[in-house]
Amino acid sequence: MRWLCLLAASAGILLAQLAPPNDAGVSMGHVHLTVPDPDAQIKVWVDVLGATASKDGPLNLVKLPGIFIIVTKAAATDGSEGSTANHIGFLVKDYAALKAKLTAANIPTVFDLEKNKQIMVTFPDKVRVEFNEDASISAPVVFHHIHLTTTDPDALQAWYVKTFGAEATTRRNLPAAKIPGGEVDFLKAKDAPAPTKGRTLDHIGFEIKDLDAFCKKLTADGMTFDMPFRDIPAIGLKIAFIVDPAGTRIELTQGLAGR
């Protein structure tokens, strides 16, 4: 299958559908949603954000610069709020234009900070999505971050830095871990949030350059796998699953970037 590559420039960095990996062989990959009506979920991403949707075998793929959204038909226990993966975030070129589209699509608003050109909304099936304006980007929408909540942000940041070769940084005075294609941000929670498995935002995903070797290294470091490395020709991917210390389910893939 021939894919249309979407190009966007953000802070002088050229972004393809998935960014080139870091020195550890890791880049942002996907966010996986489980919903009762995939078509309704996908329609919002296409109509409001101008995403490209396609079906690749059993996979429903939504493509935006820097990330794939994979949508699977299944019942979920609850939405993203209250789980470790509270929301996902994007940069938009035009806050006012996006807000008009969100209003026209009857997407509920969580908060709208017009002065900051920042808005948080709830997509169908209780998926929280944040948007911040950045007029410097050349595409209308570019992936920016996954926002995790945890009782110990510093420890979770250190885990992502060690596990994925991420760059330790901060965003709005909060710990963050930069990975090519975006970043993972960490917000302190008073009580431990629910694990993501079974929620609408079931798991996040990182694309790995050599997944077999990466998994062997994780095993040598004492990592416990939620699902060990396997090659699945039916979907054209090599995959494995781990869970971070806060309960965020993480899929490791090899093959998304090559589509």
Side-chain angles (χ1 to χ4, degrees):
M1 176 180 293
R2 188 180 297 275
W3 293 86
L4 175 65
C5 291
L6 302 176
L7 299 179
S10 176
I13 300 174
L14 190 66
L15 295 178
Q17 179 57 51
L18 292 184
N22 61 16
D23 290 343
V26 181
S27 63
M28 285 289 180
H30 73 280
V31 173
H32 200 121
L33 306 180
T34 56
V35 301
D37 188 347
D39 291 339
Q41 180 70 226
I42 291 169
K43 187 176 188 301
V44 173
W45 291 89
V46 172
D47 292 351
V48 176
L49 301 184
T52 301
S54 65
K55 192 171 182 64
D56 186 10
L59 298 178
N60 293 306
L61 300 175
V62 176
K63 299 178 286 181
L64 287 161
I67 201 77
F68 286 95
I69 310 295
I70 299 178
V71 186
T72 299
K73 183 179 178 65
T77 57
D78 209 338
S80 59
E81 184 187 13
S83 77
T84 62
N86 180 272
H87 66 269
I88 51 179
F90 294 83
L91 301 178
V92 295
K93 190 171 183 65
D94 189 333
Y95 155 85
L98 173 71
K99 183 176 175 179
K101 289 183 178 180
L102 292 168
T103 301
N106 296 314
I107 303 299
T109 300
V110 178
F111 65 77
D112 181 6
L113 302 178
E114 188 170 354
K115 181 179 179 180
N116 297 336
K117 297 184 177 180
Q118 176 190 19
I119 188 168
M120 174 89 76
V121 299
T122 304
F123 271 24
D125 309 299
K126 300 166 71 174
V127 178
R128 282 200 167 184
V129 187
E130 178 187 350
F131 300 97
N132 292 270
E133 183 178 278
D134 182 348
S136 71
I137 63 175
S138 60
V141 183
V142 173
F143 176 73
H144 184 259
H145 69 271
I146 298 168
H147 207 131
L148 303 184
T149 57
T150 171
T151 55
D152 193 340
D154 291 331
L156 194 57
Q157 178 198 44
W159 185 88
Y160 275 81
V161 169
K162 177 182 177 182
T163 304
F164 300 112
E167 176 190 351
T169 183
T170 59
R171 176 172 175 257
R172 295 174 181 164
N173 296 318
L174 296 174
K178 284 191 176 182
I179 294 172
E183 65 186 50
V184 183
D185 298 338
F186 308 97
L187 181 66
K188 186 173 179 60
K190 181 180 178 181
D191 300 312
T196 60
K197 188 173 183 178
R199 311 281 288 215
T200 301
L201 203 168
D202 181 85
H203 60 271
I204 63 176
F206 297 108
E207 176 78 347
I208 311 298
K209 185 177 180 180
D210 183 345
L211 183 56
D212 189 16
F214 191 82
C215 288
K216 288 176 180 175
K217 181 180 182 302
L218 292 182
T219 298
D221 290 341
M223 178 69 69
T224 299
F225 284 80
D226 189 52
M227 189 191 81
F229 171 86
R230 62 183 63 180
D231 189 346
I232 307 180
I235 60 174
L237 292 176
K238 297 175 182 178
I239 66 173
F241 280 88
I242 60 176
V243 179
D244 77 14
T248 311
R249 195 171 184 229
I250 302 169
E251 182 176 9
L252 310 176
T253 64
Q254 181 182 343
L256 278 180
R259 295 174 189 268

